Amino acid sequence: MLMRPPLARRSLSLPRLDSIRRAQLVARHPPLHSLHTPSCRFLTTRVDLLPRTRRRRALQDLHASICQRSLATAISDPIRQDDIRFDYAQSHVSSNYVYPLPNHLYDLRPFDPSAPLLVKTRGDPPPRAKMNQKGVPGGVDEMLSVFDACLQVRKLDRAALVLTRLSETGVLPGPELIALHNRYLRAAIDRAFEQPDSAWAQSLHKWYELHIRNKGIPQTSETVACMLKVSLLSAQGSRLERLVTRYMDMMPGDAIYQVLSEVDILNQQDFGIIASIYQPASDLLDELEFSPQYDEPQSPDTESSLKQPTDLSEAQPKSNYTPDVLAVPQKGLGLKSLRGVLSFFSKIDGQDISELPPAERREIQARLEQDCVDAAINRWREENQALKKMGLNTSMSTNALSSQLYDWQCALEARLEKEFALFEESEARERKNNEDFDRCVYAPFLRQSNPTRLAAVTIISVLTALSSGTGNGGVQLSHLLSQLSRGVEEDIRYLLRQSQLAPNRSKRRRQAPKPKNPENQQAATDSLTAQPPTNIETKSNIVETSAYETKSWPSLIKTKVAAVLLAALMDTAKVDVVREHPETKALVSQRQPALAHTSIYRKGRKVGLVMPNKFLVELLKREPPADFLARHLPMVAEPEPWTKFDKGGFIEYPAQLVRVKHGEKDQRIYTEAAVQRGDMEQVSKGLDVLGRTGWRINRPVFDVMLEAWNGGEKIANIPPLNPQIPLPVEPEASDNPVQRRLWLKAVKAVENEKSGLHSERCFMNFQLEIARAFRDQTFYFPHNMDFRGRAYPIPTYLNHMGADHVRGLLRFAKGKELGENGLRWLKIHLANVFGYDKASLKERESFATDHLDEIYDSATNPLTGKQWWLKAEDAWQCLATCFELKAALDSPEPTKYVSYLPVHQDGTCNGLQHYAALGGDRWGAQQVNLEPGDRPADVYSAVAELVKKGIAEDLETDNFLAKAVDGKITRKVVKQTVMTNVYGVTFAGAKAQVLKQLDAAYPQIQEETGVPAPVLASYIATKVFKALSTMFRGAHDIQYWLGECAGRVCRALTPEQIDRIATGETISTSTKRTSKKKPKSPADELLSQFRSTVVWTTPLRMPIVQPYRKSSTRVINTSIQDLTLQVPERSDPVNRRKQLQAFPPNFIHSLDASHMLLSALECDELGLSFAAVHDSFWTHAADIDVMNRVLRDSFIRIHSEDVVGRLASEFEARYKGSLYLAKLERGSAIEIRISALRKEKKQTLKAELLEERERSRLLMSSDPEDVEKGRAMVTPASIFEEMSASQPMSSTEDMEAVGLGNISNAGASPEAMAGEDDDDDLTASASESENDYVDVDLGEDTEYIKTMIDMSRFESDLTGETKKAAQKSAAKAKTKGADISIWLPLTFPEVPKKGDFDVSRLRDSQYFFS
């Protein structure tokens, strides 16, 4: 039982102890948003949820902020939740703090490229062991996750088993292990309060002796404080005195101060008792310095929770009727779900939430973000009950999917309740079967939720996956399990966060005592029994991380959790299939399984599929699911500022600062380290600026759009409600079978077009419903970014990055008087959105003046007049400008008119602008408007003219392809290819882009010319690439340099890796490959160690990490089937080809993102409203001149520095000491000498590596004798240096797609690589089947090309032409010759010489952005 000893005679008074406050030592120049503040927990909280490294690290590093934090802020700290932090040695103050901060937030911060942020992993993860007989998994990451989950659900017996096995493996260093023990002790103390047990204290004392003290694990003050707490709660009298004295004696000297600093374990009464028993503690307390108690400021969350929000439904609405949006016939849950979520706004029709106090707006926003899972269950239940009240059988309601989903919910919930009941039995069983072992893994995670909620999340996630899948073709099981596990994990983390935010929001801070003499505090710090390890490097740019990541569930956990839920759903979910009897015409119902599992073979591999019932597919086609919509709507309160990696944006719903795909860990680790150092301040503040921009619905445009939508006709980009697309005439049965195949293909194309238009209209339906709900509100778009730093709004459906109709619907919430310049820019903006954007500014202004009649007619009679606005390139934005311009001109003083319309300024192929500035290319700068000029240069038109010129030359040789495209080359045909070529688009991607434009402009081109459109697209793309390679030589050189740097990095071994190889450490991987190949040779094992990914720092000091690796595979057994999954790990070798080809475009993306955010910061400081769509920047018409100055100045500030030179210096520092495997062409003089040396020495590749390591060590020595020894060594690298050879370039094959205008068939473009997931096998197979023509080499003679064009793929395979083409390609590859590999010190090529273009000339360019 719990016992509290009587108050000691010599205890400090509570008021006196309340006043104790520690000194706060902060960095000289802390980040403006916040300092790193160690969190503080009280014993009544769920201490196991909150990892502990705060006070330990703060006392360890006296330069750190030692502020105390109350529970309210501590538990709302997402970065410190759900994970174990082992980065004890990381300093909170980076070396950048020695520089004085610039005067403005938009000034570039000093950056020392010789000391970039380096994240180093402490060792490699060991090989995974098997699950033991007690059901504890063998992977360290899996054990850590299970341990954390067990503490969450108070299963301390299971947590103890995991902790015991972790200790036995010996893979965790002492400081990491004691952190886990401390969490276990805290959880045990908490449970003692909740569930008193007479034996609890004795068991903890025994645990301490056996598992901590006897094992020699280094203890911390937290460990001692926990044991003191156990003693104080359970003992009294002489036993208490013995225990207190024993534990306090473990803290030598003044280190007892550390124990007294653990104020979230020991309370004020505990201090008094300890002081009365232990004399040194009493003496120390007598020397303490005291300061008045203070209350912690309440967080905004607290403020909003303390105020009762206004009942807006009772507010008097304005009489402003808006008709409903005509619903697309979906007949299901999706649109109803959306309207259910938006029903809140219908209750406050006419009431503007922005007029309420901030706290009430935040409360309303929090309510909107509140959990949609419960709302979905309620909707299913309501519809089910409504049908029953009407006397209808739900099984006979053919279209009532939501009512059937409630039956699914009830059945699945009952099934999961039975599963929960088996958890204890399986965990306790001595001889476990496979099901028991699985339950031991997933039970702690499922216990964090409940059957009701798990059932709903499972149903919603599966339906979402099926809706976005391949319909009748089913969904790949691995994809479905991945999506389901993601939904369950996010929902459980949301529940944990909510449970932690709820209690104790307004508790006061506890104060820790502060010694009067600071030296005593330092001595106490130095004399701790055990200190966490410190970095070998003293600079704060070195950050050590654990080899184990616990912020997300490991693949084993995700798969096991998702498999048990999916299997339960497949067993319980039924659909009532209703069909009409062919004879009686009566409705007949049959209950069938909704889902079925099957397997197929694709490309020789067995692939598991989940097949939905055909009746379910029909229902899903009518309705896109929308049950998580509330988390993707705009916000009605300003977004939370970004303060941590996952704290910012939405108030309740957690979001991430950087969008990281599941399984990719590097970018998150680097970003979190940069946030903690204060490096991400400008980036996060820039995102805050974008999020604070207020928006409203443009009511005149919305009214027109709604009328057009409800009419059902095609208007602008709105597809028709009932598209009339005629089917082609079916050929006669006796006709050529090839004709019938072509007919079937045409029928399929028509069906696909109709389906596409329907899907597009459904999506627009969602957007218009949201716009209608928010029509009276001011709303905001919280932003985050991708790994390159490009900003994106988080709300999915309605945002300013949407299509033309969405942009036309939006206006700023704040208005500004036009003024003379504003009125001029409003006219220019109209010309721009109409498509007249390549004329001079004066001509564009005149364009609007010359079309005033059409403008007035468009604004007055948009749907019944001349409809001039529909001729615009961006029709809805043109209509919005017509409304604005008419209103301004009709006002008494047009220059005084308050305008709300965003006016855009677009860059001229922004990627080429950056390349021209990087290379100092004067001619390139002229093409992209960096040089001042009287008229805007148009690089797209210039390329189109070069393409026309090339076609004209081919016409002279009677080229039939040139004849087919003559007169069909326009600026629009080549624009997208030119724009994306700078971002690394491959030839295949460029061909697809040109094909899309040809199909849009000339849909009958194949019938007219007799040449398939894809062949013509290939011909045009070839001409475009050729034009670009001649126009932008400087950009070409920069791209090659970037690609070569990436190629070397990806074939390098770090000094740490070489040291481990030298000491004979086993090269291990954390996952195992499943292919039944021969064991790897020692050389292959060595080459598999290439793990260095390309990392660089943007001008705003954001670290960028390319994520491309060759993920290893792992077999995971589930109750459905055995799955072979790709499991990304940081220890996986890099995908060199992707790293190399993606680096140039990603580097340019990081520069344009920096330019945008830097401009946003300055515009915000100047009071401008600012929005951006990558390289299109928006503000009020009156502020365009100011914004343009800001855009030019920001660009000049970035490129006035030596960006490429700084990158080279950063690479030299980041990869210092590395050796890379270079390739030399056979037959060269160097290769001959090296081959001769190798014949003499007969060394392995590993031996050469270690020999070169030794030579480098000797040459770097300060001892002249060692240096002389190094010079005397003869190695392949020394021969290479002796012959003064330049370092070889990467293989030509890999570099093909890097240079601007180079033609490569290297598969997916780096742009695709930088985006979302790679295509899976199903998608790849589908795309291959679409190509019914034979790919031809346009370098062949025209007669051969004609022959191949007329031949189908089937005929080509039959005649052997396909095989001949493959053999020809293989022969070409062989002619490239062989090469040899040698180890060289990693250095980088000389930076390309910069041209004479002075970027400061940009200040006078009025067309830079226009």
Side-chain angles (χ1 to χ4, degrees):
M1 70 183 280
L2 297 179
M3 294 179 289
R4 167 65 66 186
L7 283 174
R9 290 170 296 176
R10 190 176 180 276
S11 61
L12 295 176
S13 65
L14 294 182
R16 186 182 180 208
L17 281 170
D18 275 343
S19 65
I20 298 173
R21 181 181 180 185
R22 295 181 61 185
Q24 299 183 8
L25 305 178
V26 298
R28 279 179 284 169
H29 299 291
L32 298 181
H33 62 269
S34 68
L35 293 168
H36 175 77
T37 52
S39 302
C40 179
R41 287 195 303 264
F42 295 89
L43 281 169
T44 53
T45 65
R46 296 281 298 278
V47 298
D48 56 294
L49 303 183
L50 303 170
R52 274 278 303 168
T53 57
R54 302 163 307 283
R55 194 155 334 279
R56 184 163 54 254
R57 281 183 292 165
L59 292 169
Q60 193 176 332
D61 180 4
L62 293 181
H63 292 288
S65 167
I66 312 183
C67 309
Q68 305 300 308
R69 297 204 33 208
S70 76
L71 184 67
T73 53
I75 61 176
S76 62
D77 189 342
I79 269 187
R80 301 186 180 278
Q81 295 175 21
D82 307 324
D83 61 278
I84 305 170
R85 297 299 297 266
F86 300 129
D87 48 345
Y88 301 102
Q90 179 175 335
S91 171
H92 300 150
V93 185
S94 62
S95 58
N96 62 292
Y97 283 161
V98 300
Y99 301 110
L101 285 180
N103 294 328
H104 302 285
L105 191 59
Y106 56 81
D107 290 334
L108 290 177
R109 306 299 170 90
F111 172 65
D112 181 5
S114 65
L117 175 63
L118 298 175
V119 175
K120 296 187 177 181
T121 303
R122 290 194 285 268
D124 287 338
R128 297 184 189 276
K130 293 182 178 180
M131 184 178 294
N132 66 14
Q133 292 302 311
K134 296 180 180 178
V136 178
V140 177
D141 56 342
E142 295 155 3
M143 285 189 274
L144 291 172
S145 294
V146 172
F147 176 78
D148 181 67
C150 288
L151 293 186
Q152 301 277 9
V153 297
R154 290 294 192 271
K155 291 294 295 180
L156 299 188
D157 53 340
R158 297 293 302 172
L161 291 175
V162 175
L163 192 48
T164 301
R165 185 171 190 190
L166 275 170
S167 300
E168 292 171 350
T169 60
V171 297
L172 290 182
E176 296 185 6
L177 200 54
I178 195 62
L180 299 179
H181 280 287
N182 290 341
R183 294 186 62 204
Y184 175 76
L185 292 174
R186 284 172 167 269
I189 294 172
D190 270 6
R191 193 178 69 168
F193 281 104
E194 299 170 2
Q195 303 172 11
D197 183 354
S198 58
W200 76 277
Q202 188 61 33
S203 66
L204 289 184
H205 286 299
K206 183 177 179 181
W207 177 272
Y208 170 79
E209 292 295 336
L210 293 178
H211 297 279
I212 299 178
R213 196 157 183 266
N214 287 354
K215 295 288 182 65
I217 300 176
Q219 303 170 46
T220 65
S221 59
E222 183 182 2
T223 314
V224 175
C226 286
M227 298 313 300
L228 284 170
K229 188 69 176 181
V230 173
S231 303
L232 290 167
L233 292 174
S234 62
Q236 57 184 340
S238 60
R239 174 172 170 76
L240 175 61
E241 293 178 2
R242 287 197 306 271
L243 290 172
V244 169
T245 302
R246 179 173 184 269
Y247 289 122
M248 292 300 290
D249 281 344
M250 294 179 182
M251 307 302 292
D254 290 334
I256 58 175
Y257 171 71
Q258 303 299 318
V259 177
L260 301 180
S261 299
E262 299 290 344
V263 294
D264 49 352
I265 299 175
L266 301 170
N267 59 28
Q268 299 160 357
Q269 187 177 0
D270 296 334
F271 286 148
I273 298 172
I274 293 171
S276 68
I277 295 174
Y278 194 69
Q279 185 62 39
S282 175
D283 296 339
L284 181 61
L285 287 173
D286 286 340
E287 299 176 4
L288 293 176
E289 180 180 304
F290 303 103
S291 59
Q293 177 185 352
Y294 67 99
D295 290 339
E296 177 191 1
Q298 292 179 339
S299 67
D301 286 342
T302 307
E303 294 174 6
S304 63
S305 65
L306 295 178
K307 295 185 179 181
Q308 191 70 21
T310 304
D311 187 356
L312 294 176
S313 61
E314 297 179 1
Q316 187 66 30
K318 303 172 185 176
S319 57
N320 191 4
Y321 171 72
T322 302
D324 290 338
V325 179
L326 177 65
V328 177
Q330 300 175 34
K331 298 183 181 179
L333 178 64
L335 193 55
K336 292 182 180 180
S337 298
L338 174 64
R339 285 177 165 169
V341 171
L342 299 178
S343 62
F344 166 79
F345 292 99
S346 64
K347 299 175 183 176
I348 59 168
D349 193 14
Q351 175 70 36
D352 187 355
I353 296 175
S354 63
E355 298 174 359
L356 298 175
E360 295 187 14
R361 294 205 304 270
R362 286 176 54 83
E363 178 66 23
I364 292 172
Q365 176 61 35
R367 286 166 57 192
L368 288 175
E369 292 176 28
Q370 284 302 325
D371 179 27
C372 299
V373 177
D374 292 334
I377 298 173
N378 292 334
R379 283 192 294 276
W380 300 341
R381 182 188 300 113
E382 288 171 4
E383 184 154 345
N384 185 278
Q385 293 174 349
L387 289 174
K388 289 181 178 179
K389 287 181 181 178
M390 295 169 61
L392 297 177
N393 185 345
T394 56
S395 66
M396 303 298 290
S397 302
T398 57
N399 293 321
L401 175 60
S402 52
S403 65
Q404 296 192 41
L405 292 183
Y406 184 65
D407 294 334
W408 289 16
Q409 169 72 23
C410 294
L412 182 56
E413 184 179 339
R415 173 65 179 271
L416 291 179
E417 287 174 352
K418 294 180 181 178
E419 180 68 23
F420 269 58
L422 296 173
F423 289 167
E424 292 283 353
E425 181 180 338
S426 292
E427 290 171 343
R429 186 174 289 130
E430 286 294 330
R431 300 181 64 86
K432 295 180 171 61
N433 56 31
N434 290 336
E435 291 182 354
D436 295 329
F437 283 124
D438 282 353
R439 288 193 184 101
C440 289
V441 172
Y442 61 69
F445 299 90
L446 295 187
R447 281 184 173 122
Q448 295 175 76
S449 186
N450 57 72
T452 301
R453 193 173 186 88
L454 287 170
V457 172
T458 300
I459 293 170
I460 292 169
S461 299
V462 170
L463 287 180
T464 301
L466 291 176
S467 298
S468 59
T470 56
N472 292 320
V475 178
Q476 196 166 335
L477 178 62
S478 58
H479 173 74
L480 184 56
L481 291 177
S482 174
Q483 188 153 334
L484 174 55
S485 65
R486 185 183 306 128
V488 174
E489 182 181 7
E490 288 178 352
D491 187 66
I492 287 177
R493 292 198 183 280
Y494 171 79
L495 289 177
L496 293 177
R497 184 169 184 264
Q498 293 302 107
S499 66
Q500 294 162 15
L501 287 175
N504 306 316
R505 289 181 178 268
S506 59
K507 283 194 175 181
R508 293 178 175 177
R509 278 185 202 180
R510 285 185 166 182
Q511 306 303 320
K514 167 184 178 271
K516 292 182 180 179
N517 185 358
E519 295 180 359
N520 291 342
Q521 182 176 349
Q522 182 64 49
T525 304
D526 294 339
S527 61
L528 274 174
T529 303
Q531 288 290 344
T534 56
N535 291 331
I536 298 174
E537 303 281 350
T538 57
K539 295 181 180 179
S540 61
N541 67 305
I542 308 295
V543 177
E544 285 194 359
T545 64
S546 172
Y548 317 106
E549 196 268 342
T550 57
K551 291 183 174 65
S552 61
W553 295 351
S555 297
L556 175 72
I557 307 298
K558 291 180 179 179
T559 306
K560 296 284 188 182
V561 168
V564 67
L565 294 174
L566 180 60
L569 179 64
M570 292 171 64
D571 287 345
T572 57
K574 310 293 181 183
V575 288
D576 296 306
V577 180
V578 181
R579 290 287 184 262
E580 188 179 77
H581 194 281
E583 297 178 0
T584 64
K585 305 301 182 182
L587 292 179
V588 179
S589 175
Q590 183 182 22
R591 200 160 180 79
Q592 299 178 357
L595 304 168
H597 170 254
T598 187
S599 298
I600 61 172
Y601 283 90
R602 289 195 181 278
K603 297 184 178 180
R605 290 193 306 167
K606 189 176 181 180
V607 178
L609 293 179
V610 173
M611 305 293 295
N613 189 292
K614 291 183 178 181
F615 183 74
L616 178 60
V617 171
E618 293 175 8
L619 293 180
L620 289 174
K621 281 183 178 179
R622 302 191 192 117
E623 112 185 52
D627 279 293
F628 288 101
L629 275 176
R631 298 177 184 176
H632 302 289
L633 295 176
M635 298 180 66
V636 294
E638 284 193 7
E640 291 282 275
W642 285 104
T643 55
K644 297 178 183 177
F645 182 84
D646 47 7
K647 186 170 178 59
F650 289 111
I651 296 173
E652 298 284 343
Y653 182 68
Q656 293 185 337
L657 177 65
V658 179
R659 301 180 178 196
V660 179
K661 291 198 305 185
H662 283 260
E664 293 173 0
K665 305 175 178 67
D666 288 322
Q667 183 64 55
R668 175 164 188 156
I669 292 171
Y670 268 91
T671 303
E672 288 184 339
V675 168
Q676 194 165 359
R677 280 163 41 104
D679 289 349
M680 296 287 288
E681 182 186 15
Q682 287 181 297
V683 171
S684 60
K685 294 288 187 184
L687 294 176
D688 294 342
V689 169
L690 299 176
R692 284 198 303 269
T693 299
W695 300 87
R696 291 185 77 92
I697 296 298
N698 191 324
R699 288 300 297 270
V701 176
F702 174 75
D703 292 340
V704 174
M705 195 177 297
L706 187 58
E707 183 180 351
W709 174 269
N710 289 344
E713 300 297 326
K714 181 187 185 316
I715 295 181
N717 66 330
I718 296 179
L721 178 61
N722 298 303
Q724 302 298 319
I725 306 176
L727 287 172
V729 179
E730 182 176 1
E732 297 292 335
S734 59
D735 286 351
N736 189 338
V738 174
Q739 295 297 322
R740 184 164 188 85
R741 183 179 180 184
L742 292 175
W743 172 78
L744 290 172
K745 185 178 179 181
V747 170
K748 183 179 179 181
V750 170
E751 292 175 348
N752 288 341
E753 185 178 358
K754 286 184 177 181
S755 177
L757 291 174
H758 178 76
S759 298
E760 189 177 346
R761 192 166 173 96
C762 288
F763 189 76
M764 285 188 177
N765 201 162
F766 277 13
Q767 293 172 323
L768 287 178
E769 285 284 1
I770 296 170
R772 184 181 185 279
F774 281 83
R775 65 190 182 278
D776 296 319
Q777 308 302 326
T778 296
F779 49 90
Y780 306 86
F781 301 131
H783 283 65
N784 62 2
M785 54 192 171
D786 65 10
F787 76 92
R788 301 163 298 183
R790 302 197 99 190
Y792 295 88
I794 301 176
T796 308
Y797 298 95
L798 184 74
N799 63 64
H800 61 293
M801 286 192 182
D804 169 54
H805 68 285
V806 180
R807 298 186 186 189
L809 279 175
L810 298 175
R811 67 172 179 85
F812 288 134
K814 296 178 181 178
K816 284 195 175 182
E817 289 186 0
L818 283 174
E820 290 292 341
N821 284 339
L823 186 60
R824 170 175 170 264
W825 277 111
L826 190 60
K827 294 178 180 178
I828 293 172
H829 178 64
L830 184 135
N832 287 342
V833 295
F834 193 85
Y836 188 71
D837 55 346
K838 295 307 166 188
S840 68
L841 294 178
K842 190 173 183 63
E843 290 170 341
R844 293 185 226 177
E845 183 182 1
S846 300
F847 174 85
T849 305
D850 296 342
H851 290 86
L852 281 180
D853 289 343
E854 290 88 347
I855 293 169
Y856 269 75
D857 178 75
S858 296
T860 306
N861 305 299
L863 297 178
T864 58
K866 302 175 184 177
Q867 296 186 340
W868 173 79
W869 61 279
L870 288 176
K871 301 176 183 177
E873 192 172 285
D874 299 311
W876 292 108
Q877 294 175 77
C878 178
L879 180 61
T881 314
C882 290
F883 279 123
E884 196 81 357
L885 190 57
K886 177 181 181 297
L889 296 176
D890 285 347
S891 63
E893 291 187 60
T895 58
K896 296 289 185 181
Y897 177 76
V898 178
S899 174
Y900 295 85
L901 189 74
V903 174
H904 312 169
Q905 295 289 278
D906 297 343
T908 306
C909 196
N910 194 233
L912 284 175
Q913 289 179 326
H914 284 286
Y915 269 126
L918 290 173
D921 187 346
R922 180 183 295 274
W923 190 82
Q926 291 174 348
Q927 301 303 311
V928 289
N929 293 309
L930 297 187
E931 278 277 9
D934 297 332
R935 297 185 62 82
D938 182 14
V939 65
Y940 307 119
S941 297
V943 171
E945 290 302 318
L946 284 178
V947 171
K948 291 177 183 177
K949 183 178 178 182
I951 291 172
E953 293 173 356
D954 288 348
L955 283 172
E956 296 176 0
T957 62
D958 201 31
N959 186 306
F960 77 100
L961 295 175
K963 290 180 180 179
V965 299
D966 185 31
K968 294 180 172 62
I969 304 302
T970 64
R971 177 181 182 274
K972 193 171 184 178
V973 168
V974 304
K975 179 179 178 180
Q976 189 178 10
T977 303
V978 175
M979 187 187 307
T980 56
N981 194 280
V982 72
Y983 293 124
V985 69
T986 60
F987 182 74
K991 184 170 64 175
Q993 292 169 348
V994 175
L995 178 60
K996 181 180 178 181
Q997 298 299 331
L998 287 178
D999 286 343
Y1002 311 102
Q1004 305 299 322
I1005 192 169
Q1006 183 167 345
E1007 289 76 6
E1008 295 171 359
T1009 63
V1011 183
V1015 176
L1016 297 178
S1018 182
Y1019 174 73
I1020 295 172
T1022 303
K1023 296 296 183 184
V1024 173
F1025 274 60
K1026 183 178 179 180
L1028 283 170
S1029 63
T1030 58
M1031 289 180 68
F1032 293 95
R1033 201 64 238 171
H1036 182 275
D1037 294 341
I1038 294 287
Q1039 280 186 316
Y1040 252 83
W1041 182 86
L1042 293 171
E1044 174 60 22
C1045 289
R1048 295 186 183 184
V1049 167
C1050 296
R1051 294 181 68 88
L1053 294 175
T1054 64
E1056 294 81 9
Q1057 286 179 299
I1058 300 173
D1059 289 344
R1060 287 197 289 271
I1061 293 171
T1063 56
E1065 292 185 21
T1066 303
I1067 299 174
S1068 62
T1069 54
S1070 55
T1071 54
K1072 61 182 180 181
R1073 296 191 178 270
T1074 58
S1075 56
K1076 298 179 181 179
K1077 296 181 180 178
K1078 294 180 180 179
K1080 287 184 178 180
S1081 67
D1084 291 335
E1085 288 284 359
L1086 189 63
L1087 298 180
S1088 68
Q1089 295 297 297
F1090 292 139
R1091 302 174 186 171
S1092 297
T1093 185
V1094 181
V1095 183
W1096 71 96
T1097 308
T1098 71
L1100 298 189
R1101 303 182 66 167
M1102 175 183 175
I1104 308 294
V1105 187
Q1106 292 199 145
Y1108 317 119
R1109 294 185 181 273
K1110 296 178 180 177
S1111 298
S1112 51
T1113 56
R1114 181 183 179 190
V1115 175
I1116 298 178
N1117 302 320
T1118 71
S1119 58
I1120 302 176
Q1121 74 169 57
D1122 292 348
L1123 291 171
T1124 302
L1125 301 178
Q1126 285 193 337
V1127 183
E1129 299 285 354
R1130 295 188 67 211
S1131 57
D1132 289 334
V1134 294
N1135 187 321
R1136 182 171 177 269
R1137 189 184 193 90
K1138 284 187 177 182
Q1139 290 276 351
L1140 183 153
Q1141 294 181 2
F1143 177 43
N1146 285 340
F1147 180 71
I1148 295 300
H1149 276 310
S1150 71
L1151 288 182
D1152 66 42
S1154 298
H1155 176 231
M1156 186 275 288
L1157 291 172
L1158 206 62
S1159 302
L1161 291 170
E1162 186 169 359
C1163 286
D1164 181 64
E1165 188 164 308
L1166 295 173
L1168 276 64
S1169 294
F1170 183 88
V1173 182
H1174 301 318
D1175 59 351
S1176 176
F1177 301 153
W1178 304 4
T1179 191
H1180 290 95
D1183 293 329
I1184 287 293
D1185 289 320
V1186 177
M1187 186 181 74
N1188 276 336
R1189 177 191 62 76
V1190 170
L1191 298 182
R1192 292 191 292 266
D1193 288 348
S1194 298
F1195 193 90
I1196 291 170
R1197 283 202 301 279
I1198 289 175
H1199 288 285
S1200 292
E1201 300 183 352
D1202 185 5
V1203 177
V1204 180
R1206 183 177 61 197
L1207 178 65
S1209 299
E1210 179 183 346
F1211 279 171
E1212 293 285 356
R1214 185 176 297 282
Y1215 304 105
K1216 181 179 180 181
S1218 297
L1219 297 177
Y1220 86 104
L1221 197 63
K1223 292 185 177 182
L1224 296 178
E1225 187 176 349
R1226 288 191 181 274
S1228 63
I1230 300 177
E1231 184 271 329
I1232 294 173
R1233 279 196 58 184
I1234 292 175
S1235 296
L1237 176 67
R1238 285 178 168 172
K1239 286 181 181 178
E1240 179 184 341
K1241 289 189 171 184
K1242 297 181 179 180
Q1243 289 180 318
T1244 63
L1245 194 62
K1246 177 180 176 180
E1248 285 189 359
L1249 171 69
L1250 298 181
E1251 185 181 35
E1252 186 57 37
R1253 167 181 176 267
E1254 177 64 13
R1255 189 178 81 94
S1256 299
R1257 185 190 69 79
L1258 293 172
L1259 291 175
M1260 296 294 292
S1261 173
S1262 57
D1263 186 347
E1265 292 185 5
D1266 287 344
V1267 174
E1268 196 59 35
K1269 288 180 182 177
R1271 290 174 178 169
M1273 293 179 68
V1274 180
T1275 67
S1278 69
I1279 294 175
F1280 186 88
E1281 294 169 1
E1282 177 189 342
M1283 300 187 71
S1284 302
S1286 60
Q1287 295 213 10
M1289 298 290 281
S1290 295
S1291 66
T1292 306
E1293 179 187 358
D1294 288 341
M1295 297 294 288
E1296 274 182 347
V1298 173
L1300 188 68
N1302 277 15
I1303 297 178
S1304 168
N1305 291 301
S1309 71
E1311 187 71 5
M1313 299 170 197
E1316 297 304 317
D1317 299 318
D1318 295 335
D1319 291 338
D1320 56 38
D1321 293 337
L1322 296 175
T1323 307
S1325 300
S1327 62
E1328 289 167 4
S1329 65
E1330 294 298 324
N1331 295 332
D1332 203 34
Y1333 65 93
V1334 180
D1335 290 325
V1336 295
D1337 183 354
L1338 298 183
E1340 302 284 352
D1341 63 86
T1342 55
E1343 292 303 320
Y1344 175 77
I1345 295 174
K1346 287 181 180 179
T1347 302
M1348 295 300 293
I1349 286 174
D1350 294 334
M1351 188 179 297
S1352 70
R1353 183 173 294 275
F1354 174 76
E1355 293 171 322
S1356 174
D1357 292 341
L1358 197 62
T1359 59
E1361 290 294 337
T1362 303
K1363 186 176 181 180
K1364 291 178 184 178
Q1367 290 173 345
K1368 187 179 293 186
S1369 298
K1372 285 184 179 180
K1374 285 185 178 180
T1375 59
K1376 293 182 179 180
D1379 48 35
I1380 66 169
S1381 299
I1382 64 171
W1383 294 105
L1384 294 177
L1386 179 54
T1387 58
F1388 296 95
E1390 184 179 351
V1391 174
K1393 187 176 180 181
K1394 197 169 184 178
D1396 59 354
F1397 172 68
D1398 182 4
V1399 73
S1400 63
R1401 290 178 55 78
L1402 172 62
R1403 284 197 176 91
D1404 299 323
S1405 174
Q1406 59 180 330
Y1407 296 109
F1408 170 55
F1409 273 69
S1410 65

